Amino acid sequence: MQQDDKHLSDDYPESDVPDMPDTGVEKLAQAADALFYAMRRARAATAGQAAPGLSLAQLALLDPLAEGAELPVGRLAGAADVSVPTATRMLQQLDAKGVVTRRRPPADERQVLVRLTEEGAAQLATVRQRLRERQARSLTRFTPDERTELARQLHRLADIITQPDD
Protein backbone atom coordinates (compact mmCIF):
# COMPACT_ATOMS: atom_id res chain seq x y z
CA MET A 1 0.00 0.00 0.00
CA GLN A 2 1.36 3.43 -0.92
CA GLN A 3 1.85 6.08 1.74
CA ASP A 4 -0.93 8.27 0.26
CA ASP A 5 -3.38 5.35 0.28
CA LYS A 6 -2.51 4.61 3.92
CA HIS A 7 -3.26 8.25 4.79
CA LEU A 8 -6.62 7.96 3.04
CA SER A 9 -7.56 4.86 5.01
CA ASP A 10 -6.42 6.48 8.26
CA ASP A 11 -8.79 9.41 7.71
CA TYR A 12 -11.74 7.35 6.55
CA PRO A 13 -12.48 3.81 7.73
CA GLU A 14 -12.68 1.32 4.86
CA SER A 15 -16.47 1.13 5.14
CA ASP A 16 -16.79 4.93 4.72
CA VAL A 17 -14.70 5.23 1.54
CA PRO A 18 -16.91 4.90 -1.50
CA ASP A 19 -15.79 2.59 -4.29
CA MET A 20 -13.89 4.87 -6.62
CA PRO A 21 -11.94 3.75 -9.64
CA ASP A 22 -9.31 6.42 -9.03
CA THR A 23 -8.03 7.35 -5.57
CA GLY A 24 -7.30 10.78 -7.04
CA VAL A 25 -11.05 11.40 -7.15
CA GLU A 26 -11.40 10.60 -3.46
CA LYS A 27 -8.40 12.80 -2.60
CA LEU A 28 -9.93 15.66 -4.59
CA ALA A 29 -13.27 15.19 -2.81
CA GLN A 30 -11.48 15.26 0.56
CA ALA A 31 -9.57 18.40 -0.44
CA ALA A 32 -12.81 20.10 -1.54
CA ASP A 33 -14.43 19.17 1.78
CA ALA A 34 -11.42 20.47 3.70
CA LEU A 35 -11.57 23.74 1.74
CA PHE A 36 -15.30 24.11 2.42
CA TYR A 37 -14.90 23.56 6.17
CA ALA A 38 -11.82 25.79 6.41
CA MET A 39 -13.64 28.60 4.61
CA ARG A 40 -16.68 28.16 6.82
CA ARG A 41 -14.56 28.34 10.00
CA ALA A 42 -12.68 31.39 8.70
CA ARG A 43 -15.92 33.15 7.72
CA ALA A 44 -17.48 32.39 11.09
CA ALA A 45 -14.44 33.71 12.96
CA THR A 46 -14.28 36.87 10.84
CA ALA A 47 -18.03 37.47 11.04
CA GLY A 48 -17.99 36.95 14.81
CA GLN A 49 -15.30 39.61 15.19
CA ALA A 50 -16.74 42.10 12.70
CA ALA A 51 -20.43 41.76 13.58
CA PRO A 52 -20.93 40.12 16.96
CA GLY A 53 -24.33 38.53 17.28
CA LEU A 54 -24.79 37.84 13.57
CA SER A 55 -24.57 34.25 12.39
CA LEU A 56 -23.30 33.09 9.01
CA ALA A 57 -26.85 32.11 8.07
CA GLN A 58 -28.08 35.60 8.93
CA LEU A 59 -25.27 37.15 6.91
CA ALA A 60 -26.19 34.99 3.91
CA LEU A 61 -29.75 36.24 4.25
CA LEU A 62 -28.59 39.87 4.39
CA ASP A 63 -26.07 39.72 1.56
CA PRO A 64 -28.55 40.43 -1.29
CA LEU A 65 -29.56 43.61 0.54
CA ALA A 66 -26.02 45.01 0.47
CA GLU A 67 -26.66 47.31 -2.49
CA GLY A 68 -29.51 49.06 -0.70
CA ALA A 69 -32.32 47.09 -2.31
CA GLU A 70 -35.63 46.35 -0.67
CA LEU A 71 -36.42 42.69 -1.35
CA PRO A 72 -39.21 40.24 -0.51
CA VAL A 73 -38.60 37.58 2.13
CA GLY A 74 -39.00 34.78 -0.43
CA ARG A 75 -36.18 36.12 -2.56
CA LEU A 76 -33.88 36.46 0.44
CA ALA A 77 -34.74 32.93 1.55
CA GLY A 78 -33.91 31.58 -1.92
CA ALA A 79 -30.57 33.42 -2.02
CA ALA A 80 -29.64 32.08 1.44
CA ASP A 81 -30.93 28.59 0.61
CA VAL A 82 -33.30 28.49 3.58
CA SER A 83 -37.07 28.04 3.78
CA VAL A 84 -39.35 31.08 3.88
CA PRO A 85 -40.47 30.31 7.48
CA THR A 86 -36.82 30.05 8.56
CA ALA A 87 -35.98 33.32 6.80
CA THR A 88 -39.00 34.97 8.43
CA ARG A 89 -37.85 33.94 11.93
CA MET A 90 -34.31 35.12 11.24
CA LEU A 91 -35.55 38.44 9.87
CA GLN A 92 -37.75 38.96 12.92
CA GLN A 93 -34.64 38.56 15.09
CA LEU A 94 -32.67 40.92 12.86
CA ASP A 95 -35.49 43.47 12.97
CA ALA A 96 -35.47 43.30 16.78
CA LYS A 97 -31.70 43.96 16.73
CA GLY A 98 -32.18 46.99 14.45
CA VAL A 99 -30.35 45.39 11.51
CA VAL A 100 -33.30 45.38 9.09
CA THR A 101 -36.72 46.92 8.67
CA ARG A 102 -39.71 45.01 7.34
CA ARG A 103 -42.84 46.42 5.75
CA ARG A 104 -45.89 45.27 3.85
CA PRO A 105 -46.47 47.20 0.61
CA PRO A 106 -50.01 48.60 0.26
CA ALA A 107 -50.35 47.02 -3.20
CA ASP A 108 -49.86 43.47 -1.84
CA GLU A 109 -50.12 43.06 1.91
CA ARG A 110 -49.30 39.34 1.67
CA GLN A 111 -45.74 40.27 0.80
CA VAL A 112 -43.10 41.48 3.26
CA LEU A 113 -40.28 43.67 1.95
CA VAL A 114 -36.99 43.88 3.82
CA ARG A 115 -34.31 46.57 3.81
CA LEU A 116 -31.11 47.04 5.79
CA THR A 117 -31.04 49.81 8.35
CA GLU A 118 -28.03 52.13 8.37
CA GLU A 119 -26.60 50.11 11.26
CA GLY A 120 -27.26 46.84 9.41
CA ALA A 121 -25.65 48.14 6.22
CA ALA A 122 -22.58 49.24 8.20
CA GLN A 123 -22.29 45.84 9.92
CA LEU A 124 -22.63 43.97 6.62
CA ALA A 125 -20.09 46.23 4.91
CA THR A 126 -17.63 45.67 7.76
CA VAL A 127 -18.01 41.90 7.59
CA ARG A 128 -17.62 41.86 3.80
CA GLN A 129 -14.53 44.09 3.97
CA ARG A 130 -12.87 41.97 6.67
CA LEU A 131 -13.63 38.76 4.79
CA ARG A 132 -12.02 40.17 1.63
CA GLU A 133 -9.00 41.41 3.58
CA ARG A 134 -8.53 37.98 5.17
CA GLN A 135 -8.92 36.27 1.80
CA ALA A 136 -6.45 38.65 0.19
CA ARG A 137 -3.85 37.99 2.89
CA SER A 138 -4.26 34.24 2.43
CA LEU A 139 -4.35 34.22 -1.34
CA THR A 140 -1.22 36.34 -1.78
CA ARG A 141 0.72 33.22 -0.77
CA PHE A 142 0.06 31.97 -4.31
CA THR A 143 1.91 33.37 -7.30
CA PRO A 144 -0.15 35.40 -9.79
CA ASP A 145 -0.12 32.46 -12.21
CA GLU A 146 -1.20 30.05 -9.46
CA ARG A 147 -4.04 32.41 -8.46
CA THR A 148 -5.24 32.59 -12.06
CA GLU A 149 -5.18 28.82 -12.47
CA LEU A 150 -6.75 28.21 -9.06
CA ALA A 151 -9.58 30.65 -9.85
CA ARG A 152 -10.19 28.92 -13.17
CA GLN A 153 -10.28 25.48 -11.56
CA LEU A 154 -12.49 26.58 -8.66
CA HIS A 155 -15.01 28.10 -11.08
CA ARG A 156 -14.94 24.89 -13.07
CA LEU A 157 -15.45 22.82 -9.91
CA ALA A 158 -18.37 25.03 -8.83
CA ASP A 159 -19.98 24.61 -12.26
CA ILE A 160 -19.53 20.83 -12.14
CA ILE A 161 -20.88 20.55 -8.60
CA THR A 162 -23.98 22.58 -9.36
CA GLN A 163 -24.90 20.61 -12.49
CA PRO A 164 -27.81 18.25 -11.93
CA ASP A 165 -26.99 14.55 -11.77
CA ASP A 166 -27.69 12.75 -15.01
Side-chain angles (χ1 to χ4, degrees), residues 23-40:
T23 58
V25 172
E26 179 60 24
K27 289 177 186 176
L28 179 57
Q30 290 176 15
D33 289 346
L35 175 62
F36 171 79
Y37 292 120
M39 289 182 70
R40 187 168 174 84

Side-chain angles (χ1 to χ4, degrees), residues 42-92:
R43 283 178 175 270
T46 301
Q49 293 168 356
L54 292 181
S55 70
L56 283 181
Q58 289 172 325
L59 291 169
L61 197 64
L62 296 176
D63 205 47
L65 299 171
E67 303 306 318
E70 184 176 56
L71 298 172
V73 173
R75 190 151 157 211
L76 295 173
D81 200 24
V82 297
S83 69
V84 172
T86 296
T88 299
R89 282 190 301 277
M90 291 168 57
L91 289 165
Q92 288 169 341

Side-chain angles (χ1 to χ4, degrees), residues 2-13:
Q2 293 178 340
Q3 179 63 27
D4 287 343
D5 290 335
K6 182 179 183 322
H7 177 71
L8 174 67
S9 63
D10 288 345
D11 289 344
Y12 295 91

Side-chain angles (χ1 to χ4, degrees), residues 1-149:
M1 186 181 270
Q2 293 178 340
Q3 179 63 27
D4 287 343
D5 290 335
K6 182 179 183 322
H7 177 71
L8 174 67
S9 63
D10 288 345
D11 289 344
Y12 295 91
E14 203 64 38
S15 61
D16 292 346
V17 178
D19 288 335
M20 301 245 177
D22 176 7
T23 58
V25 172
E26 179 60 24
K27 289 177 186 176
L28 179 57
Q30 290 176 15
D33 289 346
L35 175 62
F36 171 79
Y37 292 120
M39 289 182 70
R40 187 168 174 84
R41 283 190 304 274
R43 283 178 175 270
T46 301
Q49 293 168 356
L54 292 181
S55 70
L56 283 181
Q58 289 172 325
L59 291 169
L61 197 64
L62 296 176
D63 205 47
L65 299 171
E67 303 306 318
E70 184 176 56
L71 298 172
V73 173
R75 190 151 157 211
L76 295 173
D81 200 24
V82 297
S83 69
V84 172
T86 296
T88 299
R89 282 190 301 277
M90 291 168 57
L91 289 165
Q92 288 169 341
Q93 294 169 349
L94 292 167
D95 190 3
K97 291 179 181 180
V99 176
V100 299
T101 59
R102 299 174 300 142
R103 72 173 186 90
R104 293 188 185 277
D108 183 359
E109 293 200 13
R110 296 170 298 169
Q111 189 176 52
V112 174
L113 298 175
V114 181
R115 175 184 299 275
L116 286 171
T117 62
E118 285 186 33
E119 179 184 337
Q123 285 181 319
L124 185 58
T126 299
V127 169
R128 291 171 111 198
Q129 178 185 349
R130 292 209 180 140
L131 284 170
R132 286 292 178 232
E133 288 169 356
R134 185 177 185 151
Q135 288 170 340
R137 282 190 308 273
S138 298
L139 296 174
T140 56
R141 295 176 182 162
F142 292 99
T143 68
D145 287 344
E146 288 172 329
R147 287 192 297 266
T148 299
E149 180 60 19

